Amino acid sequence: MADLDEQHPLFLFAMDQRSSLLEHTYGDDSGEPADDGDAERVRAGKQLVYRGVLAALAAGASRARTGVLVDERYGADVARLVKEAGLVLAMPVERSGREWFELEYGDDWVAHVDAFDPDFVKVLVRDNPGFDADERAAQAERLAGVSRTLHDAGRPFLVELLVPATDEQQQDGGTDYDRDVRPGLVVEVVGYLQEHGVEPDVWKLEGLDRTEDARRVVEAVRAGGRDGVQCIVLGRDAPEEQLDHWLRTAAPVDGFVGFAIGRSNWEDALDDVVHQGLDHEGAERLIAANYRHFVDTWLEARPDVVDGVDAGGH
C-alpha cells in the first residue's frame, strides 16, 4: 500500500478468527477441529466470507482502500487470492485462543511470513496495568522481539490491542468501563509497550466513545517523535449502532486512518449458512452490504477521503 493516512484510509475486512470461530459458529468448545473434515468446513466458511468481500468490490467498494486480515491456518487459500487480486493483505502471527501472546509457529514464524509476504503482520495483545506484572513484562519482551525482527525486515507491524477489565475495574459501579476507564488504560498500556520496545506502525484499537479520548490515544501512540504511527478501529463484534458511533467518533480525528471489522460483517450470515441453510449467494450479499455500510459510515464522517469508492459505487 503506497499511502496510509486520513485521506487514504484502510478498511480491513477481518476474518482471522480461529479458536473463537470454531467455538461460536461450529460449536467446538475446544477451539481445535476434531478432524480434517471440521477444518475443511472452516476453510470453506472463510472462502464464502471472502466472496462477500468480492461482492462488496463489485458493488463499488474501493479496491485501493479494501484490505483483508486472514490467518494462514484456515485462510491460506484466501490469503493467496487476496494477493492475486491486488488487495492489501494482513496476516496474524499470534497463536489463537491464548491469554498471553504466543507465536503461532514458534521460532519458524518468519518463514511463514515470508511465504505469504503480507502487507501488514499483525499480533493480538491483551494487556491491562492491573494484570500480573511478571506476565506483562514477559509478554512485552516477546512482542519487542517480533517488533525488532519485522522492522529489520522492512515489514509493517500492526498491533491489535485489547484492554479487558479486571474484576475490580468491572465491578466499579460508579463508572462505565468502556467509556470512563478503558481510554486511560489504553494510554497507559501503549506507553508501557513502547517503553519495552514494542513499536507498531499501526495500532488496531477498541472503539472510543468520546472525541477527546480518541485524540488522547493518538497523542500516546505518537509520543516521542513517533509522528508516522497510525490507528485503526477494531469491531469487537459490537452491534451496528455501537460500531457506527465508534467509527463516527474516530474518523474525523487525525491519526485514525480506517478500521478492521470482522464478525460484525459476516458472523450472522455465516451462522445462517451453517445452521439455517441460507444460500451462499444470499450470505455473500449480506456480508457485502454490512461491509459497505461501515465504509459508508466512515466516509460520511470523513468526507475528504480520496478514492473511497470506485466508479459506479454508491
Side-chain angles (χ1 to χ4, degrees):
M1 190 172 202
D3 47 24
L4 178 60
D5 56 35
E6 292 80 8
Q7 284 71 49
H8 305 85
L10 176 60
F11 304 128
L12 269 178
F13 193 109
M15 60 173 88
D16 62 324
Q17 289 78 3
R18 284 152 283 165
S19 59
S20 63
L21 178 61
L22 279 162
E23 179 180 352
H24 296 301
T25 300
Y26 295 95
D28 189 332
D29 293 339
S30 72
E32 295 290 338
D35 53 37
D36 290 343
D38 283 349
E40 187 55 38
R41 290 174 69 212
V42 180
R43 294 187 187 100
K46 288 186 182 262
Q47 290 166 7
L48 184 154
V49 169
Y50 178 62
R51 291 196 296 273
V53 178
L54 297 180
L57 293 172
S62 168
R63 299 184 67 86
R65 302 296 117 213
T66 297
V68 176
L69 170 59
V70 66
D71 58 292
E72 176 181 348
R73 173 162 291 197
Y74 302 115
D77 290 342
V78 170
R80 296 184 184 102
L81 291 171
V82 171
K83 290 289 287 188
E84 290 173 8
L87 304 175
V88 172
L89 174 64
M91 296 187 76
V93 294
E94 81 277 353
R95 191 172 182 184
S96 182
R98 294 298 187 266
E99 184 176 357
W100 297 96
F101 168 69
E102 298 177 28
L103 284 162
E104 172 81 11
Y105 298 105
D107 293 339
D108 196 37
W109 69 275
V110 173
H112 287 260
V113 170
D114 289 344
F116 285 88
D117 191 28
D119 299 282
F120 292 94
V121 177
K122 169 254 180 184
V123 300
L124 170 65
V125 182
R126 295 178 179 85
D127 200 2
N128 185 308
F131 288 176
D132 181 83
D134 291 340
E135 293 279 16
R136 293 188 73 207
Q139 174 173 260
E141 183 178 355
R142 295 192 296 274
L143 290 165
V146 172
S147 181
R148 289 191 298 271
T149 298
L150 291 174
H151 285 170
D152 287 347
R155 292 194 178 278
F157 186 28
L158 190 159
V159 168
E160 176 180 358
L161 176 61
L162 302 180
V163 185
T166 64
D167 290 342
E168 182 179 359
Q169 291 163 350
Q170 193 65 57
Q171 292 167 7
D172 185 351
T175 60
D176 179 295
Y177 175 76
D178 276 330
R179 185 191 65 216
D180 301 322
V181 180
R182 178 166 54 81
L185 297 179
V186 170
V187 170
E188 286 189 55
V189 171
V190 165
Y192 175 86
L193 292 174
Q194 289 170 337
E195 290 169 6
H196 284 76
V198 183
E199 297 289 352
D201 299 282
V202 179
W203 291 87
K204 179 175 178 244
L205 301 170
E206 297 168 279
L208 298 158
D209 288 312
R210 296 181 292 215
T211 300
E212 58 266 32
D213 288 325
R215 293 193 178 111
R216 286 173 61 203
V217 167
V218 171
E219 289 176 3
V221 304
R222 291 182 167 179
R226 300 174 177 88
D227 297 342
V229 176
Q230 312 281 21
C231 300
I232 59 176
V233 179
L234 62 86
R236 210 175 73 175
D237 199 21
E240 181 180 288
E241 182 178 357
Q242 178 66 70
L243 191 43
D244 283 348
H245 174 66
W246 287 341
L247 297 179
R248 292 188 184 110
T249 299
V253 176
D254 286 349
F256 276 90
V257 295
F259 61 68
I261 298 174
R263 290 173 294 172
S264 299
N265 286 321
W266 52 258
E267 186 172 52
D268 288 346
L270 184 58
D271 282 351
D272 286 346
V273 168
V274 172
H275 301 293
Q276 306 295 331
L278 176 66
D279 68 278
H280 285 200
E281 288 187 5
E284 293 160 19
R285 287 194 297 270
L286 178 57
I287 291 166
N290 290 338
Y291 174 72
R292 293 190 69 229
H293 166 83
F294 294 124
V295 170
D296 288 346
T297 298
W298 187 277
L299 296 176
E300 289 164 4
R302 189 84 200 200
D304 58 345
V305 168
V306 176
D307 65 11
V309 294
D310 284 341
H314 57 271

